[in-house]
Amino acid sequence: MEPSDLAGMALIAVAGPEDALAFVSSGASSSAALEQEMNAVLNDSGVPRWPGLAAALLRWRPRLTDLAPERDLRVVERLGGQLLVPEDPEWPVALSELELNEPIALWVRGRALVIPEQKRCIALVGSRDSTSYGANVAMEMAATLVQRGFTIVSGGAYGIDAQAHRGAIGAATGRQFLPTLAIMAGGVDRFYPTGNEDLLRAVAENGAIVAEVPPGANPTRYRFLQRNRLIAALCEVTVVVEARWRSGALSTAHHADGLSRTVAAVPGSVYSANSAGCHRLLREGSAVCVTDAADVAELAGAPGTQLTPEQLGAPAVHDGLGVEDLMLLDALPLRSVTSVDKLTIVAGIGATAVLAGLGRLELLGLAERANSGWKRRC
Amino acid sequence: MEPSDLAGMALIAVAGPEDALAFVSSGASSSAALEQEMNAVLNDSGVPRWPGLAAALLRWRPRLTDLAPERDLRVVERLGGQLLVPEDPEWPVALSELELNEPIALWVRGRALVIPEQKRCIALVGSRDSTSYGANVAMEMAATLVQRGFTIVSGGAYGIDAQAHRGAIGAATGRQFLPTLAIMAGGVDRFYPTGNEDLLRAVAENGAIVAEVPPGANPTRYRFLQRNRLIAALCEVTVVVEARWRSGALSTAHHADGLSRTVAAVPGSVYSANSAGCHRLLREGSAVCVTDAADVAELAGAPGTQLTPEQLGAPAVHDGLGVEDLMLLDALPLRSVTSVDKLTIVAGIGATAVLAGLGRLELLGLAERANSGWKRRC
């Protein structure tokens, strides 16, 4: 069955996966008792109406003849991969939040056949037609996040996805954990799109490639949309690096939002149509603004994020001065010399405050005595 | 007294402006009864402790000799301007939200001596060292907002302020309302900074120049900081167009936030230090992301904001298709012809659904009959 086939998920919930397959394969017609139990499961999940078990059987039975699970297993094993099912201890617990939309299996091939825990996974997603700006941000962000111990999850597509995988692989040298995961809409036996074949081979060698559909499955549009929910569910934070006003990357963001996962967006020029989708998320308040890997790591709860020197900035000479001292400093002439009486008038503060303030400013190297008066020290 | 001199504001609140001045001018020493009443006013406003009336008198009295209100009035009248006080019907009600920090007077010169109501005023502020990106955004945003009937309020400084005033004046032709206001830190008799002299003259000719300090007053650092609260208070929305991580423009944003006015920020490249302050506001959630004048107008409650053609985008062929039709469309071959049975297997939906779906896709021009089967129509 296709991903997120709710009737199928309800049947598995009621009968278990083995009996569910046996029932569909048996050719038996719809059962009122079974349908009632499936109804209960679907109602619990908020599905109000469904076409019924008979309609679902019509959908599943034509595919039985092409079903060859042993062949699929052999294919993935030959690629050094394996099948994960929810009963496996390695099954990612993060997926359970998808509830009835949780996948029934994951096919994995790669350097290691495990999926890192949610809090170490960051999704970097975006448009296929990225700009050089978006490509740079994606690559730098991915590299820095991998250096900080995060796994970059993306969809293996052209543009932002590809740059995110590249940045992650480039920063992976000598690290034990998987730097990147590509979650595919088709089977893990093919590298799709073909223009990314070399990149996806590198992802498989350094990280892992994951799909919920079996080897040989085509990456259809429906599966692309469903795949986005897996990216969102596996990650602590989903970052949209660059997206047009209408973009598939926004679908991943909406899935993450629906799962109450943190969504972030990278700002860009208001003149760039490729950032319009990011700005839309920011404007609607459904994404947090992130400008670098440190921002993202902080959202993922990483401790010890430091401000960069630019952010700390050079302190201004008047930082930390009280209001009266600030007024006094403004009143002190740079070139000529002035008296305490004159300062009292110009600064608009009492003579005692002027005298005390001059003492503090002198101590800070901001004022100096000259002849019988005071001036600014430069 | 200086702007926001809380003791002075309390004295005026207790005695009224004329008696307050008479008391300070009289040379009388501090009065326990007066101090007690001022204490009550300050406590009501959340000021916990103040140095007392005697200290305040020490601050005010030295300035009495230089006080020449009639001269100040003559100066502003000669410039075609006037003095506004809270008792005037033209006094902007928006300022009352400053409470004890409300200015005691406004000096205005310009084409008209009124200040437009808050809901028509938009502040565009930003750094003096703007980039060409920020300058373009400020100018375009100001021009479009003036075309939509808004008044652009800014501080008359170099950079973003200047571009905002320029954009507003350029779009002002033939409009009855004031396109722009420059709120100054010094007196309205001088055009400061001198490099903006021509621009500020144009602001006075087309719009108005406003200050709370009298003619002849220097624009000190303290007065610049205080001036920002006026910009924030007069405007429905304060837009930070471009600002570094530490920037005076952020002070205006914080004032607006403190007054529960809407704060907006324009995003930019994450590599531009001049947008770091904007991204900081967005990240902290204290500003809304705005990318054009339509976004800003919407925040100011302007009706009828239209999506631009870019935002509407070209609809994709598969927009509005149900999930099953989407699967069916994916399963239809582009070049060869396929059968309903095969479609049932590939699409994974029942034969009845395949037939109904093919009918809908044919109607939409997405599928066509060929020989005894079906294919995608391109």
Side-chain angles (χ1 to χ4, degrees), chain A residues 59 62-63 133 140 221-222 245-246 267 270-271 279 283 295 311 319 323 327 330 344-349, chain B residues 59 62-63 133 140 221-222 245-246 267 270-271 279 295 311 319 323 327 330 344-349:
Chain A
R59 196 158 66 225
R63 287 185 161 182
Y133 169 71
E140 287 181 11
R221 203 164 355 218
Y222 176 78
W245 187 262
R246 298 162 66 101
V270 299
Y271 300 120
H279 296 153
R283 179 159 162 70
D295 283 352
Q311 289 170 334
D319 276 0
V323 164
M327 290 175 172
D330 282 338
T344 307
I345 297 167
V346 175
I349 55 181
Chain B
R59 194 158 68 223
R63 287 185 162 185
Y133 169 71
E140 287 180 13
R221 202 163 357 216
Y222 175 78
W245 186 263
R246 297 163 65 101
V270 299
Y271 299 121
H279 296 152
D295 283 352
Q311 289 170 335
D319 278 358
V323 165
M327 291 175 170
D330 282 338
T344 307
I345 296 167
V346 174
I349 54 180

Side-chain angles (χ1 to χ4, degrees), chain A residues 2-3 5 55 58-60 62-63 65-66 133 136-138 140 218 220-223 225 244-246 266-271 273-274 276 278-280 282-283 288-292 294-296 298-299 307 310-319 323-324 326-327 329-331 341-342 344-352 376, chain B residues 2-3 5 51 55 58-60 62-63 65-66 133 136-138 140 218 220-223 225 244-246 266-271 273 276 278-280 282-283 288-292 294-296 298-299 307 310-319 323-324 326-327 329-331 341-342 344-352 376:
Chain A
E2 290 295 320
D5 183 325
L58 281 177
R59 196 158 66 225
W60 301 325
R63 287 185 161 182
T65 46
D66 280 357
Y133 169 71
N136 274 337
V137 173
E140 287 181 11
N218 280 320
T220 62
R221 203 164 355 218
Y222 176 78
R223 291 171 189 159
L225 291 174
R244 288 182 166 261
W245 187 262
R246 298 162 66 101
V266 175
S269 165
V270 299
Y271 300 120
N274 289 65
C278 293
H279 296 153
R280 181 185 187 172
L282 291 174
R283 179 159 162 70
V288 181
C289 179
V290 290
T291 58
D292 58 19
D295 283 352
V296 177
E298 193 183 312
L299 287 178
L307 285 176
E310 155 63 21
Q311 289 170 334
L312 289 170
V317 287
H318 55 272
D319 276 0
V323 164
E324 291 198 339
L326 199 60
M327 290 175 172
L329 184 66
D330 282 338
D341 281 356
K342 188 85 169 84
T344 307
I345 297 167
V346 175
I349 55 181
T352 324
R376 182 96 65 98
Chain B
E2 289 295 321
D5 183 323
L58 280 177
R59 194 158 68 223
W60 301 326
R63 287 185 162 185
T65 45
D66 279 357
Y133 169 71
N136 274 336
V137 173
E140 287 180 13
N218 279 320
T220 62
R221 202 163 357 216
Y222 175 78
R223 291 171 189 159
L225 292 173
R244 288 181 166 262
W245 186 263
R246 297 163 65 101
V266 175
S269 166
V270 299
Y271 299 121
C278 293
H279 296 152
R280 179 185 190 176
L282 291 174
R283 180 157 161 72
V288 181
C289 179
V290 290
T291 58
D292 57 18
D295 283 352
V296 177
E298 194 184 313
L299 288 178
L307 285 176
E310 155 63 22
Q311 289 170 335
L312 289 169
V317 288
H318 56 274
D319 278 358
V323 165
E324 291 198 338
L326 199 60
M327 291 175 170
L329 184 66
D330 282 338
D341 282 357
K342 187 87 169 79
T344 307
I345 296 167
V346 174
I349 54 180
T352 324
R376 181 97 64 100

